[in-house]
C-alpha cells in the first residue's frame, strides 16, 4: 500500500501507528473467535509491523513518523 500511495501522492506524509501486539491479540479475539492462537497472531503482527516499517523506509524516507498507540492515548 505504501508504494502505491507514495507514487500517487509524492508530497504525502505518513503516520505509522503501532499498537502493542498483545492488545491487538485481545481485540482480535473479541471480534473474531477463530483467532485463538497467540503465536500465530504474534507472528502476523510482527510481519505486518516489519513490512510497514520497511515500505515506509524505502518509499517514504523522511516523510513518515511512527507513533505507539499506547503513548498517544496516555498523553
Amino acid at each position: 500500500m505504501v508504494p502505491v500511495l507514495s507514487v500517487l501522492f509524492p508530497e504525502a506524509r505518513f503516520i505509522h501507528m503501532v499498537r502493542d501486539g498483545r492488545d491487538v491479540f485481545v481485540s482480535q479475539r473479541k471480534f473474531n473467535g477463530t483467532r485463538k492462537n497467540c503465536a500465530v497472531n504474534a507472528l502476523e503482527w510482527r510481519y505486518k509491523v516489519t513490512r510497514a516499517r520497511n515500505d515506509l523506509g524505502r518509499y517514504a524516507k523522511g516523510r513518515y513518523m511512527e507513533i505507539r498507540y499506547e503513548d498517544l492515548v496516555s498523553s
Side-chain angles (χ1 to χ4, degrees), residues 9-10 16 18 35 38 53 55 59 67 73:
F9 305 100
H16 181 212
V18 179
R35 302 196 56 109
C38 184
R53 285 176 176 161
D55 283 352
Y59 298 102
I67 300 173
V73 297

Side-chain angles (χ1 to χ4, degrees), residues 21 25 35-47:
F25 173 67
R35 302 196 56 109
K36 296 180 180 179
N37 188 322
C38 184
V40 170
N41 281 282
L43 289 171
E44 181 181 7
W45 176 86
R46 184 174 66 177
Y47 169 78

Side-chain angles (χ1 to χ4, degrees), residues 14-48:
F14 298 88
I15 298 173
H16 181 212
M17 189 171 305
V18 179
R19 188 170 184 202
D20 186 284
R22 296 166 293 190
D23 291 329
V24 172
F25 173 67
V26 171
S27 292
Q28 287 182 345
R29 242 181 39 191
K30 286 180 187 175
F31 295 106
N32 185 348
T34 64
R35 302 196 56 109
K36 296 180 180 179
N37 188 322
C38 184
V40 170
N41 281 282
L43 289 171
E44 181 181 7
W45 176 86
R46 184 174 66 177
Y47 169 78
K48 288 179 177 179

Side-chain angles (χ1 to χ4, degrees), residues 1-3 6 14 16 18 45-62 64 66:
M1 183 62 81
V2 173
S6 187
F14 298 88
H16 181 212
V18 179
W45 176 86
R46 184 174 66 177
Y47 169 78
K48 288 179 177 179
V49 170
T50 301
R51 181 171 177 191
R53 285 176 176 161
N54 289 341
D55 283 352
L56 287 163
R58 184 176 305 126
Y59 298 102
K61 191 172 184 114
Y64 83 96
E66 184 172 287

